[in-house]
Amino acid sequence: MLPESSNTLARVVKVMVRTFPTLQAKSVTRETVSSDVQGWDSLSHSMLIMGVEEEFGMELPLGEVYALADVGALVDLIDRLNAAVP
Amino acid sequence: MEHITFDQLYRRSCAYAQHYAGLGIQPNDLILIILKHTPHLFYAYLGAMIAGAIPSYLPFPSPKQRADLYWEDHDILFKRIQPRMLVTYEENLTAATQTLPDFTIPALIAGDDILEGRPSGSDTFPGFARSADDIACLQHSSGTTSLKKGVMLTHRMILDHVNAYNESIGFGESDSIASWLPLYHDMGFIACFMGSLLSGTHLVALDPFEWVMRPRTLLDAIQRYRSTFCWLPNFAFSHIANAVPAAERWDLSSIRAFINCSEPCKGKTFDRFVERFAESGITAEKLQICYAMAENVFGVTQTPLGLRVNEVAAEANAFSFGEVVPADGDGIRLMSCGPPIAGVEVEIRDESGNCIPDGHIGEICVRGPFLFSGYYKLPEKTAEKLRGGWYYTGDMGFLFGGELFVTGRKDDMIIVAGRNYYAHEIEAIANTIPQVVPGRNVAIGVEDSLTDATAVVVLAECVAGTDSEKIGRALRREVVEKLGLAIHAFVPLSSGRLVKTTSGKISRSKNRELYVAGKL
């Protein structure tokens, strides 16, 4: 894992802990999926995405955010968009 | 944002009608439409009506649902209702044919190529020769696909209902609607799509998924298009208020009413919405409530516009015995759904089917000029719910001062984000998890204090010494894959903790009470 990606994951986990009150940061990995997390439904998913957008100062493409397979896919999407910024 | 004129809507719908005719569709053939929320969703539907066929929307598969389970579930429905055509996309057709070896329903792949060329002889389409009492469409209930009931609606029922309902809210030519609602639900289909189409007014139709992710888009649309009406389920009021930036303001002064419908309305949700959007032009008088169901086309009761919705604070002890007595101080806060709309009758009945007086809780029964005549190809279900000209809704409530108040459900239905799920379906899935003691779990709906939305909680007795985290993950995964529903919380319990009824069955209501009180 690249150091940049590791930092992205840590920042995503920070937003997740804010979004899902019972979530323990240490339990989140790149492989974590929505059904692993209590309270992760379509409404809280939107709160998570809005939190991530605020944290990273970017707008995520809606076509991709609903079908993200796991936390790692979200991290990769953020890194890909960051890398594309000139 | 794509702008579509009525002329474009008509011509593009005729183009679909011409394709249906070319593919051999005859009057009364059933056409199922499974499409994303694009303009084709409207064209394909109206085109089916113009072709004289009977269209019905079904929800688009969610990326979280397993495609094979989605299509297996639909196969049960397909075999019962025998559709003559499926309008969808290539990827859905591929998934259906891969999952179902005997899948033979002819498909029309939706796309702009259907709209090319100008349809000829459009006034000769069979749909224009239909009688007012022919079936116009099937409105399928939400929830588990295989259990879906197709409410048969005639042209007359839809026209008469839209006239009566629009009159109840004073909806006229100068009004317009902003909506994010899906069209497979009666609120999106009748109140918004048919309501605007039949009165020649504008509809701003946002994609439901995009709205969930960006709730502010609805407020942006109202501000930009000066919309006057907006129907929302209760959870949506909270989602908007929670999700939009605290400092931001909109000009929502054009709004005549936000109408809360399809989930029990909560007073505190309205309070928070008014507080959040007071500076955007929203007052308590602009928040209204409708009680509706597809079996009555849509609206049954409606609170009067321009007035604050009536409330009752019920004394808790009497309420638990089914009687509503106004409390001296704090009580259970209940919101009125208003009086019946013109021509519709509402009665409250007890277990024996006898009418009971005002202020007593019983089953809500409905009769009226546009009440459905039955479920498509489900005579037994029809006979169970439609008796002596009255529809037994399964909703519990009471009448007070000529207005209807809804208190809950008679059966185990749990309404989540406007969609209906049954506790027994969720419990059946929990029973398949090896570490859950068979038959020793209950699924209940509780209020999520953060969102005001109904959340599903599963209380389950588990085998001693098992990893409850792992069981919870497995259950959440199974339920989302099979039902498309996110379980909010899984509560593992030791053997014998769940309370039984006197007849020895696990009691959903008693265990719910204990869970809510923090006593489990």
Side-chain angles (χ1 to χ4, degrees):
Chain A
M1 192 187 297
L2 296 170
E4 182 188 327
S5 182
S6 162
N7 183 38
T8 306
L9 177 62
R11 290 169 70 188
V12 167
V13 171
K14 192 174 79 178
V15 179
M16 287 178 69
V17 169
R18 275 205 306 265
T19 310
F20 308 110
T22 61
L23 184 67
Q24 303 276 321
K26 62 183 182 200
S27 68
V28 182
T29 66
R30 282 180 58 88
E31 287 71 39
T32 298
V33 296
S34 59
S35 55
D36 294 336
V37 178
Q38 191 147 303
W40 192 342
D41 58 17
S42 58
L43 291 183
S44 56
H45 185 67
S46 76
M47 300 303 280
L48 171 67
I49 295 301
M50 284 185 271
V52 166
E53 289 179 336
E54 193 180 349
E55 168 71 24
F56 291 89
M58 60 168 61
E59 193 162 297
L60 300 174
L62 286 185
E64 295 190 51
V65 296
Y66 197 49
L68 290 167
D70 53 22
V71 169
L74 174 59
V75 169
D76 292 344
L77 174 64
I78 295 164
D79 285 342
R80 183 156 51 82
L81 291 171
N82 267 335
V85 175
Chain B
M1 184 75 77
E2 183 176 351
H3 294 81
I4 302 161
T5 65
F6 283 101
D7 182 60
Q8 287 168 327
L9 178 66
Y10 174 66
R11 288 178 186 284
R12 291 169 190 175
S13 301
C14 284
Y16 264 88
Q18 200 152 34
H19 268 76
Y20 293 139
L23 291 165
I25 287 293
Q26 299 291 318
N28 289 318
D29 282 348
L30 179 57
I31 297 180
L32 296 179
I33 298 166
I34 303 180
L35 294 176
K36 291 180 180 171
H37 206 83
T38 71
H40 284 272
L41 195 63
F42 297 82
Y43 308 149
Y45 200 90
L46 294 177
M49 282 182 158
I50 292 168
I54 301 171
S56 186
Y57 287 123
L58 291 177
F60 198 78
S62 139
K64 302 278 180 200
Q65 276 177 290
R66 261 177 52 190
D68 56 340
L69 296 176
Y70 174 91
W71 289 105
E72 278 170 15
D73 200 24
H74 276 72
D75 196 37
I76 299 168
L77 178 72
F78 295 159
K79 287 197 163 79
R80 173 156 55 82
I81 65 174
Q82 298 286 312
R84 281 281 291 117
M85 182 160 287
L86 178 64
V87 185
T88 191
Y89 304 119
E90 195 70 55
E91 66 263 30
N92 284 341
L93 191 59
T94 304
T97 48
Q98 281 175 352
T99 306
L100 310 172
D102 57 351
F103 182 87
T104 54
I105 305 168
L108 176 61
I109 303 301
D112 287 345
D113 55 321
I114 291 176
L115 310 179
E116 284 166 11
R118 191 189 172 96
S120 59
S122 58
D123 56 346
T124 63
F125 283 115
F128 297 116
R130 301 281 279 174
S131 127
D133 293 314
D134 283 335
I135 299 174
C137 59
L138 292 188
Q139 183 64 5
H140 276 98
S141 52
S142 62
T144 312
T145 311
S146 56
L147 302 175
K148 276 181 186 300
K149 304 182 293 287
V151 175
M152 296 184 283
L153 301 180
T154 66
H155 295 279
R156 189 192 305 278
M157 287 161 64
I158 296 173
L159 290 165
D160 287 352
H161 177 278
V162 168
N163 282 339
Y165 184 69
N166 282 1
E167 188 160 329
S168 76
I169 55 172
F171 191 91
E173 283 177 5
S174 56
D175 284 307
S176 64
I177 298 168
S179 171
W180 61 267
L181 299 166
L183 298 188
Y184 58 77
H185 193 285
D186 55 358
M187 189 165 40
F189 173 56
I190 295 291
C192 299
F193 180 18
M194 289 294 134
S196 62
L197 184 69
L198 296 175
S199 54
T201 56
H202 290 157
L203 166 67
V204 182
L206 306 175
D207 180 301
F209 162 66
E210 288 187 19
W211 170 78
V212 168
M213 300 306 298
R214 307 243 187 270
R216 64 165 297 149
T217 52
L218 183 68
L219 306 180
D220 294 341
I222 291 169
Q223 177 173 264
R224 179 173 173 190
Y225 295 100
R226 307 297 296 156
S227 307
T228 59
F229 280 90
C230 182
W231 282 263
L232 298 172
N234 193 77
F235 83 87
F237 285 85
S238 299
H239 187 49
I240 293 169
N242 289 339
V244 300
E248 204 152 347
R249 301 286 176 266
W250 284 262
D251 177 4
L252 305 177
S253 58
S254 61
I255 278 286
R256 293 179 60 208
F258 279 104
I259 300 180
N260 193 321
C261 187
S262 93
E263 286 185 317
C265 172
K266 292 165 187 152
K268 66 176 183 184
T269 306
F270 270 6
D271 295 344
R272 283 213 286 258
F273 197 81
V274 170
E275 191 181 338
R276 171 63 187 84
F277 295 108
E279 291 177 33
S280 298
I282 296 304
T283 62
E285 290 74 19
K286 291 191 173 189
L287 304 189
Q288 300 298 336
I289 302 176
C290 172
Y291 172 63
M293 62 199 57
E295 285 82 353
N296 199 47
V297 185
F298 174 64
V300 173
T301 69
Q302 171 67 50
T303 54
L305 258 64
L307 301 174
R308 201 183 175 111
V309 169
N310 285 326
E311 299 183 21
V312 168
E315 195 272 310
N317 190 45
F319 188 81
S320 69
F321 289 100
E323 194 176 347
V324 180
V325 176
D328 286 337
D330 287 343
I332 298 168
R333 189 177 177 190
L334 300 161
M335 309 294 285
S336 168
C337 296
I341 64 172
V344 175
E345 296 170 85
V346 173
E347 284 186 0
I348 306 298
R349 298 190 175 192
D350 64 15
E351 286 288 338
S352 309
N354 298 315
C355 207
I356 56 176
D358 279 15
H360 288 77
I361 297 170
E363 184 171 7
I364 301 169
C365 297
V366 176
R367 184 167 72 172
F370 24 79
L371 190 68
F372 78 133
S373 58
Y375 297 114
Y376 191 68
K377 296 190 175 177
L378 284 172
E380 286 173 10
K381 197 73 190 168
T382 301
E384 178 194 326
K385 303 292 284 182
L386 199 56
R387 306 199 298 268
W390 288 86
Y391 171 57
Y392 286 69
T393 63
D395 289 327
M396 300 296 281
F398 63 93
L399 288 165
F400 201 82
E403 300 196 359
L404 178 70
F405 292 74
V406 180
T407 57
R409 284 289 301 174
K410 187 180 177 187
D411 57 18
D412 65 337
M413 186 197 283
I414 305 171
I415 306 173
V416 181
R419 296 186 72 172
N420 305 338
Y421 299 91
Y422 288 90
H424 68 268
E425 298 174 282
I426 301 161
E427 292 159 4
I429 295 172
N431 277 333
T432 65
I433 309 289
Q435 298 83 0
V436 171
V437 181
R440 306 287 304 183
N441 76 87
V442 287
I444 55 173
V446 299
E447 183 180 316
D448 177 1
S449 57
L450 286 177
T451 62
D452 286 351
T454 299
V456 174
V457 174
V458 175
L459 315 172
E461 293 181 8
C462 299
V463 176
T466 50
D467 180 348
S468 57
E469 275 285 315
K470 202 170 154 187
I471 303 171
R473 278 200 299 274
L475 176 65
R476 281 192 288 266
R477 188 168 298 144
E478 285 288 311
V479 175
V480 84
E481 284 181 354
K482 288 181 176 157
L483 301 180
L485 167 71
I487 294 291
H488 186 77
F490 168 73
V491 181
L493 299 167
S494 54
S495 190
R497 286 294 300 282
L498 287 170
V499 175
K500 290 179 181 175
T501 62
T502 48
S503 60
K505 284 174 68 178
I506 303 273
S507 168
R508 293 192 187 100
S509 58
K510 294 280 179 208
N511 286 298
R512 183 183 180 283
E513 275 173 36
L514 290 170
Y515 173 76
V516 171
K519 291 180 180 170
L520 261 182

